[in-house]
Amino acid sequence: MADDELPSDSSLLVIIVDTNPNQRYITEDPKVLTNCLDAVIAFANSHLMQKTRNELAVIGCHFHKSEYLYPSPGKPLDVRQIDGQYELFTLVEKTIKMRLVNLIKSQPQEDKPGESLLAGAVAMALCFIAKYRRKAPPGLRMSSRILIVTGSSDTAAQYINYMNVFFTAQKQQVLIDVCSLDKHLSLLQQGCDITGGLYLKVPTLEGLLQYLLWVFLPEAAERSKLVLPGRGRVDYRAACFCHRDLLTIGYVCSVCLSVFCKFSPICTTCHTVFKIGGPLPIKSKKKKIKL
C-alpha cells in the first residue's frame, strides 16, 4: 500500500460553519439554523468517536469576522457528565453553542449583513492545522481536512483569496470538503477538485446529518473503497479583477496574470503600461497603366 493509502493514527477535522443571517434558509426560517447546528455537532462528535487520537476544531464564519467556536481560546468550560453522556461530547456541544451566541451578539447592528468571509475562515483553518502539525509527536501519521458547511451564494469578490487558500491547502496536502445547503457553488467546487475533496449539494436539510455521516465522515484513505457522489463537471472559469464576473474569454496581463473582461492599456493590478501598436499599414494598390 502507498503511504497515502495507509490508515492514519490521527485525523484532524476543521469544520467551518457559515452563520451569516443573510443566508436564504435562515431568512425563511431562523429555527433551521439550530437544527443544522445540532447536525454539525453530532457529526463532530462522531468524528471524535472514531479514534481516541482524533482532533476537532470548529470555526464560525460570519459577515463581519470569523472566530473559533471550538476549542475555546481561553479556559475550557467546567463540564460534568449529564445522563451518562461522554464528557468530551458535552464539552463540544456547550462550547460551540455558547461561543456561537457570543459571535452573533458581536455583530454590528447598524451594518447590513454582507457576504460571508469564507476565504478568511479557510485561512484560519490552515493556520490551525499547521500549528497542530508542528506540535504533533514525530512518527505520528495524521490526516487533515477541512469541511465547509454553508448556504451562502457563490461570489467572485473573494476569487483571489479563494485561489490562494486552495493552492495553499493543496501544497499542505489538506483536503477541502464542501457541503452546500442551498445553491451550487462553483468556486468552492474548484477548491474541492484542486485539493481532492468532495463537493455535495444537500437535496434537503431534513437529512443533513445523514449526508454528513455518509459522505464526509470517512477519511481520505477510506473513500476509495466506498461508493460516494462523483465530482461531476467542475466550472473552472476565472473571475475578472475589475467586476468579479466569471469569464470564458478575457484579457490577461502578461506581467501579473490578472484577468480583465475589457481591454485596458494600463493594468490596474501591477500598473504595467502596454505599448499599443498602430494600425497595420495598408499597401497602396498600383495603378494600371492604360495603353
Side-chain angles (χ1 to χ4, degrees), residues 170 176 188-198 231-232 234 236:
Q170 183 191 41
I176 295 180
L188 291 178
Q189 188 183 19
Q190 292 183 27
C192 296
D193 190 63
I194 291 172
T195 60
L198 293 176
R231 296 180 182 176
V234 184
Y236 266 105

Side-chain angles (χ1 to χ4, degrees), residues 40-54:
V40 171
I41 293 174
F43 168 75
N45 288 335
S46 301
H47 167 75
L48 294 175
M49 189 170 52
Q50 284 189 314
K51 295 178 183 178
T52 56
R53 289 187 174 183
N54 281 3

Side-chain angles (χ1 to χ4, degrees), residues 106-146:
S106 66
Q107 68 182 27
Q109 301 296 331
E110 63 276 2
D111 295 344
K112 294 183 179 180
E115 61 185 25
S116 301
L117 305 177
L118 288 174
V122 176
M124 291 176 60
L126 292 174
C127 292
F128 182 87
I129 292 173
K131 179 181 178 181
Y132 187 82
R133 283 178 173 177
R134 287 195 300 266
K135 294 182 178 179
L140 178 67
R141 294 194 304 269
M142 184 182 68
S143 62
S144 306
R145 52 198 172 104
I146 300 172

Side-chain angles (χ1 to χ4, degrees), residues 11-160:
S11 176
L12 173 58
L13 173 63
V14 182
I15 304 176
I16 298 175
V17 183
D18 190 354
T19 59
N20 193 335
N22 205 21
Q23 300 176 84
R24 187 173 66 88
Y25 76 92
I26 296 179
T27 56
E28 293 178 354
D29 187 5
K31 296 181 181 178
V32 180
L33 177 61
T34 304
N35 300 331
C36 294
L37 185 63
D38 291 337
V40 171
I41 293 174
F43 168 75
N45 288 335
S46 301
H47 167 75
L48 294 175
M49 189 170 52
Q50 284 189 314
K51 295 178 183 178
T52 56
R53 289 187 174 183
N54 281 3
E55 296 293 337
L56 172 71
V58 181
I59 298 177
C61 178
H62 220 59
F63 69 91
H64 69 294
K65 68 175 180 178
S66 299
E67 67 177 28
Y68 292 101
L69 302 182
Y70 180 85
S72 179
K75 184 180 179 181
L77 296 177
D78 186 11
V79 177
R80 296 182 180 180
Q81 193 179 46
I82 302 175
D83 296 334
Q85 187 181 22
Y86 183 36
E87 291 89 343
L88 180 59
F89 296 166
T90 307
L91 176 64
V92 170
E93 179 180 1
K94 288 194 173 183
T95 304
I96 291 177
K97 290 184 177 181
M98 183 195 70
R99 292 192 58 81
L100 179 59
V101 171
N102 296 334
L103 175 62
I104 296 176
K105 288 183 178 179
S106 66
Q107 68 182 27
Q109 301 296 331
E110 63 276 2
D111 295 344
K112 294 183 179 180
E115 61 185 25
S116 301
L117 305 177
L118 288 174
V122 176
M124 291 176 60
L126 292 174
C127 292
F128 182 87
I129 292 173
K131 179 181 178 181
Y132 187 82
R133 283 178 173 177
R134 287 195 300 266
K135 294 182 178 179
L140 178 67
R141 294 194 304 269
M142 184 182 68
S143 62
S144 306
R145 52 198 172 104
I146 300 172
L147 172 61
I148 302 175
V149 182
T150 177
S152 298
S153 58
D154 207 355
T155 173
Q158 305 179 50
Y159 175 77
I160 304 176

